[in-house]
Amino acid sequence: MSQYFADIAPVTFEGADSTNPMAFRHYDPQEKLGGKTMEEHLRFAVCYWHNFVWEGNDPFGGQTFQRPWFPADTMELARAKADAAFDMFRILNVPFFCFHDHDVRPEGSNLAESHKRLNEMADYFEKKMADGGPRLLWGTANMFSNRRYMAGASTNPDPDVFAYCASTVKACMDVTHRLNGENYVLWGGREGYETLLNTDLGRELEQMGRFLSMVVEYKHKIGFKGAILIEPKPQEPTKHQYDYDVATVYGFLKRFGLEDEVKVNVEQGHAILAGHSFEHELAMARTLGIFGSIDMNRNDYQSGWDTDQFPNSPSEAALAYYEVLMAGGFTTGGTNFDAKLRRQSLDAEDLIAAHVGAMDICARGLKSAYRMIEDDALEGPRRARYAGWDSADAQAMLEAGATLDGIAARAEAADVKPQPRSGAQEKLENIVNRYV
């Protein structure tokens, strides 16, 4: 055990009346909703990058955090960081964790050395995972931080960068497969452009489509059974992202025939940056059949960038998990906290308390969503609103062979005079508030 979290006891469930900030009030891992425990429903994961790599910088200031493993530029420090990470996973008793390659090992002098270091850390992880550590929800590659990616990764105008990316993703997929990861995520932080003056848009989209196709082909080649996930994001750092939102990603997948091979990892903060709500993006993913996993966080609604704060709204969580449950729940996916402390939250306890609160918010949201579905509280009114479409005449308008002029003739012959009906939004909002 590392010494960083040495004075912090494992977090336990104490119930809704507890005033202990280091205990769960709502998240009881063994509480059952239907035939599944809350742990099985929520499938919590802790991310490696914000908790153990981020130094507390923001666009206007540098490092505020001082961790004993910083700057983690040696393998010894990388192992010390892993020791602290797995201690934190144990304290929170989370079933999963997630990482980028760049999070867990210092970059080598060349590709071969970077891959060697990644595999050494995978060996280290394997021992810790076998000793009761959490499972791997997903692995991914950081192809946005280094200056080589300033013009994109797979979309880069330099073919050597494309090749570098191919080698990096292959190595990360191999490690994810070896660690029995349940998904592999592709987030193209710079897969987009800043100005059309120097961009061949069509070429870059073709490169990205071919790269993703090769990722899918390699998945099958090595026998990886997990899901390939794309994480949509509309902007920041790249001004015009090719993976703007769920609908954009779906259109891209359809274009390259990958809609049955790739799903999405939807992040709340990214949904807000795209001008959507989290539940909108989740509903879209569910409706299009590409729902995979979620990154749970929130944005500061007054800021213009991705602040990655821990979730604190039970109503937002309830509407999000409503969509998750309506999608059939998680299969390979889960709830990853892609969230970070505020720059002034300096202590080890702050890392634990932030996750405790976030896990409780998600548990409250899940229970509210489950009850709403169980009581038919929203689906009943929704079905009633569309009930007119259940008639044979209405269905006939949508069948093959129906024509615009034929429908028009029927409407004129029947002298239809439709009258608006209330959408009853306020009543439905009141219903939601009763559950949360």
Side-chain angles (χ1 to χ4, degrees):
M1 178 175 178
S2 75
Q3 294 304 303
Y4 190 69
F5 296 105
D7 297 329
I8 302 176
V11 179
T12 59
F13 173 72
E14 294 186 2
D17 294 331
S18 174
T19 59
N20 180 2
M22 303 294 278
F24 296 125
R25 299 174 62 245
H26 300 281
Y27 176 58
D28 179 357
Q30 300 311 310
E31 179 182 346
K32 283 199 170 183
L33 299 176
K36 296 168 67 174
T37 64
M38 291 191 74
E39 180 177 272
E40 292 168 330
H41 273 294
L42 291 163
R43 291 168 61 87
F44 283 133
V46 171
C47 81
Y48 217 91
W49 50 100
H50 286 323
N51 295 297
F52 307 106
V53 180
W54 185 55
E55 297 178 339
N57 56 299
D58 69 11
F60 308 100
Q63 180 175 349
T64 62
F65 298 156
Q66 295 180 347
R67 314 287 196 216
W69 54 86
F70 284 170
D73 55 357
T74 66
M75 289 298 289
E76 181 181 1
L77 287 173
R79 286 187 287 271
K81 178 167 58 175
D83 292 341
F86 277 81
D87 282 346
M88 180 171 158
F89 304 154
R90 177 188 54 79
I91 290 168
L92 291 169
N93 192 29
V94 289
F96 294 103
F97 73 108
C98 304
F99 67 86
H100 300 80
D101 58 331
H102 189 64
D103 301 334
V104 302
R105 57 98 182 103
E107 187 156 335
S109 59
N110 53 40
L111 266 173
E113 185 176 28
S114 291
H115 297 344
K116 179 175 180 291
R117 290 177 171 182
L118 178 61
N119 278 285
E120 286 179 13
M121 290 309 301
D123 293 340
Y124 202 63
F125 284 178
E126 271 187 319
K127 295 175 183 176
K128 290 182 174 292
M129 293 165 76
D131 193 31
R135 292 168 284 163
L136 179 62
L137 186 65
W138 48 261
T140 187
N142 180 327
M143 296 192 295
F144 45 87
S145 294
N146 192 286
R147 68 191 296 271
R148 73 174 67 91
Y149 303 123
M150 63 184 180
S154 68
T155 59
N156 201 288
D158 185 346
D160 283 350
V161 175
F162 187 96
Y164 196 102
C165 292
S167 178
T168 300
V169 169
K170 175 190 175 299
C172 291
M173 289 182 72
D174 287 342
V175 163
T176 300
H177 183 37
R178 173 153 74 95
L179 295 177
N180 297 310
E182 303 208 8
N183 309 269
Y184 184 82
V185 171
L186 292 154
W187 176 58
R190 299 189 189 275
E191 300 293 51
Y193 68 91
E194 303 202 6
T195 175
L196 278 174
L197 298 176
N198 62 8
T199 301
D200 186 333
L201 192 65
R203 181 188 290 272
E204 292 196 0
L205 287 172
E206 287 293 330
Q207 288 175 203
M208 191 164 128
R210 186 67 193 108
F211 190 88
L212 184 56
S213 296
M214 288 190 287
V215 167
V216 169
E217 291 163 7
Y218 189 67
K219 164 193 165 172
H220 294 301
K221 182 176 181 178
I222 63 176
F224 179 55
K225 301 302 182 185
I228 301 296
L229 306 176
I230 288 180
E231 183 169 321
K233 188 176 184 180
Q235 55 181 311
E236 197 227 32
T238 303
K239 185 177 179 181
H240 300 285
Q241 286 280 130
Y242 298 140
D243 50 359
Y244 185 92
D245 60 7
V246 169
T248 305
V249 169
Y250 183 72
F252 177 81
L253 295 177
K254 288 286 285 186
R255 176 179 175 182
F256 292 98
L258 297 169
E259 68 273 16
D260 295 328
E261 293 281 1
V262 179
K263 299 185 184 299
V264 286
N265 181 55
V266 184
E267 179 178 315
Q268 196 269 4
H270 296 178
I272 300 304
L273 287 179
H276 303 310
S277 64
F278 194 21
E279 62 266 26
H280 165 86
E281 288 290 85
L282 292 170
M284 187 66 74
R286 170 171 68 89
T287 301
L288 296 173
I290 56 171
F291 171 70
S293 194
I294 65 173
D295 273 3
M296 181 61 85
N297 56 25
R298 81 180 196 275
N299 273 2
D300 184 323
Y301 289 100
Q302 283 76 49
S303 294
W305 67 84
D306 196 4
T307 54
D308 287 326
Q309 295 172 243
F310 282 89
N312 69 352
S313 169
S315 59
E316 288 185 353
L319 293 174
Y321 283 108
Y322 189 92
E323 296 299 332
V324 171
L325 291 174
M326 290 297 291
F330 295 118
T331 52
T332 62
T335 302
N336 173 48
F337 290 110
D338 189 353
K340 58 191 179 189
L341 297 177
R342 300 303 88 195
R343 299 176 76 235
Q344 298 176 57
S345 300
L346 305 177
D347 299 337
E349 276 198 353
D350 295 330
L351 277 170
I352 305 300
H355 284 84
V356 168
M359 292 164 78
D360 261 351
I361 286 293
C362 291
R364 287 180 64 183
L366 175 72
K367 287 190 279 190
S368 297
Y370 186 86
R371 290 196 304 270
M372 282 191 280
I373 293 173
E374 192 174 43
D375 294 347
D376 210 27
L378 298 181
E379 294 311 300
R382 185 177 292 172
R383 285 195 304 273
R385 189 178 186 209
Y386 292 91
W389 281 100
D390 294 336
S391 71
D393 286 345
Q395 287 295 305
M397 289 193 291
L398 303 179
E399 292 175 357
T403 62
L404 190 67
D405 53 341
I407 295 171
R410 286 174 53 197
E412 293 160 12
D415 191 22
V416 296
K417 296 177 181 178
Q419 296 299 315
R421 297 180 181 179
S422 174
Q425 178 175 332
E426 291 76 14
K427 291 180 182 178
L428 296 169
E429 289 172 345
N430 292 345
I431 288 173
V432 171
N433 287 337
R434 287 209 310 266
Y435 284 88
V436 300

